[in-house]
Amino acid sequence: MQLGNFIGGKFCPPHSGAYIDDLNPATEEVIVRIPDSDGQDVDDAVAAAKAAFPAWSRTPAAERSRLLLKLADLIEQNLEELAQLESRDNGKTISLARRLDIPRAVANFRFFGTAILHHGSEAHPMDGVALNYTLRQPLGVAGLISPWNLPLYLLSWKIAPAVASGNTCVAKPSELTPLTANRLAELSLEAGIPAGVINIVHGYGAKAGRALTVHDDVPVISFTGGTVTGAAVATNASPRFKKISLELGGKNPNVIFADADLDDAVATTIRSSFWNQGEICLCGSRIFVERARYDEFLERFIAATKKLKIGDPLDETSDVGALISADHLRKVTGYIELAKREGGSVVCGGNRVDRRGYFVEPAIITGLGVNCRVLQEEIFGPVVTVTPFDGEEEAIAFANSTRYGLAATVWTRDLQRAHRVAAAIDSGTVWINCWLLRDLRVPFGGMRESGVGREGGFESLEFFTETKNICVKL
Ligand code: TXE
């Protein structure tokens, strides 16, 4: 079976006639073939989006809202099918796809589909001399590049605000996980979203993705993916003075003080370490535990990790599924080997599972210093390190010892310390005694090499619009 690009409301083959195999990472079998699109296909998609822009940008917000809410309803009605597609395409467990990925895509469309109704402009009267007001206008064709780890969740995080605020878009989903993007295209037609408002071009990042980032008719790029790729996107888009948002990698610290509620800290840390096989940019991968409770935490954490069931992602009872690809499996297991060479001990898991598919046991590593590569580089798999610390100052220094700054978690029952430490950690998000709770109204993004720009809430609507100051003499 072959998928097409979704351009101007129609599914079209790529100009080159070339296709890419899309594999199921749990079985290594080809599920479908997707277009290996090039610049010509991107040109077509951008032209379709550009043609749809004048009418869509003039469509009343209430009507745009109605269509996006209809799309949200359709995603919800097809939740089970979408969860199955996501699980087969990505290797994630069906239970997580059902609980996290697809409901969050519904929430994204509902949130931005209603936020647009409440988003206004500001006026600044100049003491009877003049009146300034700020007009917000959509930018045109938005280029949206998304990764494979939360395919529909992150694609909808971009499409929903872009389109809600009156832009049209060309989305380039990851070549590793095209299935739910394709289904979203079909549902957008069913919802009645006009042809050309949402366009989807499949293919490799270096070809189709790059063509989008350098396209003269695409004034805004929203990218989520790895830091190295983010740098390439910035290099290509910046000389063209595009508006760019980059949501990149992380090496998130999880700081557990001795006074923490350890039952909760262990249970939550299991999720923050191994949900989605550790393939969530917000997963905590460096766990720091105050020395007085280090042994106790480690023992309980290892025991809980050993109870996780690794297996067929479509099995309701599986806790850990397959990694996304053979390349990624090599990367992840390479870091487990590196940990040993750096002097660490793999105290739990870390072996490839003896079955077809890209499965690796969740791994816990101890005995490494904060400057080792394993604690510095993003692994993006089910691999965490556990390190003891002494006192608040050292905890903060350890947390801040990487080039990243995406998310952090702090566990303590001391209210003042919780706030002090949260403020001192260089991170776009800090969770206190919890993980992954997200109110869609809050700004989201990373510091340092975890990214540039903030999305979420009205900030996303602002990102996808340009302000114009209009000054009227009174
Ligand atoms: O993602 P890429 P990859 C991290 C994680 C992972 C590493 C690499 O550490 O191991 O990144 O993953 C498109 N111009 N994260 O290689 O390359 C690509 O086709 C324009 C963190 O799988 O970042 C895909 O659609 N686009 C992360 C998207 O960029 C390009 C999520 C992301 O792919 C491009 C995923 C180019 N030159 C990986 N090259 C997170 N922060 O959530 C690639 N792409």
Side-chain angles (χ1 to χ4, degrees):
M1 190 187 144
Q2 282 173 184
L3 300 185
N5 289 323
F6 183 61
I7 298 177
K10 294 197 174 64
F11 290 90
C12 335
H15 280 278
S16 67
Y19 285 83
I20 304 167
D21 286 343
D22 174 36
L23 297 188
N24 177 335
T27 62
E28 301 178 44
E29 285 161 0
V30 178
I31 311 173
V32 81
R33 299 171 74 226
I34 62 161
D36 177 2
S37 307
D38 58 22
Q40 263 187 298
D41 302 299
V42 170
D43 284 349
D44 289 352
V46 172
K50 198 175 168 185
F53 177 69
W56 182 248
S57 58
R58 283 196 301 267
T59 301
E63 175 63 3
R64 280 184 264 135
S65 169
R66 189 187 69 76
L67 293 170
L68 291 181
L69 294 179
K70 174 87 176 122
L71 180 55
D73 289 346
L74 288 171
I75 297 171
E76 195 166 51
Q77 284 156 23
N78 291 278
L79 189 146
E80 187 54 33
E81 181 203 348
L82 286 159
Q84 298 264 346
L85 289 175
E86 198 100 317
S87 176
R88 284 171 61 219
D89 215 8
N90 169 274
K92 69 176 64 217
T93 61
I94 180 75
S95 57
L96 194 67
R98 211 181 266 144
R99 195 170 2 147
L100 179 73
D101 294 56
I102 314 303
R104 180 51 198 277
V106 174
N108 286 340
F109 280 108
R110 289 210 173 121
F111 178 84
F112 291 110
T114 48
I116 194 67
L117 299 174
H118 306 282
H119 194 218
S121 303
E122 287 180 10
H124 302 276
M126 292 174 68
D127 297 328
V129 178
L131 176 67
N132 293 269
Y133 63 92
T134 305
L135 195 61
R136 287 203 166 274
Q137 294 175 310
L139 293 153
V141 180
L144 311 174
I145 302 174
S146 55
W148 44 262
N149 58 333
L150 299 164
L152 190 62
Y153 173 142
L154 290 173
L155 186 67
S156 58
W157 178 241
K158 298 183 185 305
I159 290 184
V163 165
S165 47
N167 301 278
T168 56
C169 70
V170 176
K172 210 300 282 170
S174 171
E175 62 277 20
L176 300 171
T177 51
L179 294 186
T180 45
N182 181 67
R183 190 73 185 105
L184 182 72
E186 293 171 349
L187 294 175
S188 76
L189 279 180
E190 205 178 320
I193 294 177
V197 172
I198 296 175
N199 302 275
I200 294 177
V201 175
H202 296 284
Y204 291 117
K207 208 194 279 183
R210 185 183 183 284
L212 198 52
T213 59
V214 299
H215 204 293
D216 286 333
D217 288 333
V218 178
V220 53
I221 298 284
S222 170
F223 170 86
T224 300
T227 294
V228 173
T229 314
V233 168
T235 302
N236 291 327
S238 298
R240 293 165 175 89
F241 305 107
K242 293 175 194 270
K243 215 170 170 185
I244 318 177
S245 161
L246 302 170
E247 290 189 10
L248 310 177
K251 190 71 187 173
N252 308 316
N254 188 350
V255 178
I256 302 172
F257 285 96
D259 67 348
D261 173 344
L262 225 51
D263 289 343
D264 197 2
V266 169
T268 306
T269 304
I270 286 289
R271 294 198 294 276
S272 71
S273 303
F274 303 127
W275 254 17
N276 213 45
Q277 302 70 246
E279 295 168 333
I280 302 180
C281 54
L282 301 169
C283 276
S285 53
R286 296 177 300 140
I287 302 168
F288 300 114
V289 189
E290 199 162 13
R291 199 173 296 277
R293 309 283 301 274
Y294 175 81
D295 290 338
E296 185 188 349
F297 173 84
L298 188 60
E299 192 182 316
R300 293 176 64 177
F301 186 54
I302 291 173
T305 302
K306 284 188 172 154
K307 287 197 189 124
L308 294 174
K309 185 175 164 197
I310 313 164
D312 180 0
L314 290 169
D315 179 340
E316 301 291 333
T317 62
S318 294
D319 300 304
V320 179
L323 294 179
I324 184 68
S325 65
D327 275 351
H328 197 52
L329 176 77
R330 267 191 294 279
K331 173 179 165 181
V332 170
T333 50
Y335 273 105
I336 296 169
E337 290 310 310
L338 175 67
K340 295 176 195 161
R341 290 201 302 279
E342 287 189 312
S345 308
V346 183
V347 294
C348 180
N351 300 305
R352 186 167 179 191
V353 178
D354 185 19
R355 58 173 287 164
R356 217 172 147 79
Y358 313 125
F359 293 86
V360 64
E361 297 165 354
I364 303 173
I365 295 164
T366 59
L368 289 177
V370 290
N371 294 322
C372 287
R373 280 182 57 201
V374 171
L375 276 90
Q376 289 292 318
E377 297 171 17
E378 186 182 41
I379 300 173
F380 216 60
V383 181
V384 295
T385 56
V386 189
T387 313
F389 69 84
D390 295 297
E392 195 174 305
E393 213 173 299
E394 188 167 74
I396 294 165
F398 282 3
N400 286 340
S401 64
T402 72
R403 294 172 292 128
Y404 293 105
L406 188 60
T409 301
V410 178
W411 290 92
T412 177
R413 285 194 254 217
D414 178 334
L415 184 64
Q416 281 150 311
R417 174 159 63 194
H419 290 286
R420 243 186 349 256
V421 174
I425 295 180
D426 296 333
S427 176
T429 298
V430 181
W431 280 291
I432 298 171
N433 298 330
C434 61
W435 177 71
L436 209 59
L437 288 176
R438 279 277 318 278
D439 184 315
L440 295 183
R441 288 170 297 187
V442 302
F444 174 81
M447 296 170 70
R448 302 183 175 176
E449 293 190 18
S450 289
V452 181
R454 291 289 178 273
E455 294 188 32
F458 289 132
E459 306 219 16
S460 285
L461 298 180
E462 280 160 23
F463 173 70
F464 284 110
T465 49
E466 193 67 278
T467 58
K468 196 182 273 176
N469 275 324
I470 299 184
C471 181
V472 197
K473 185 169 180 296
L474 295 176

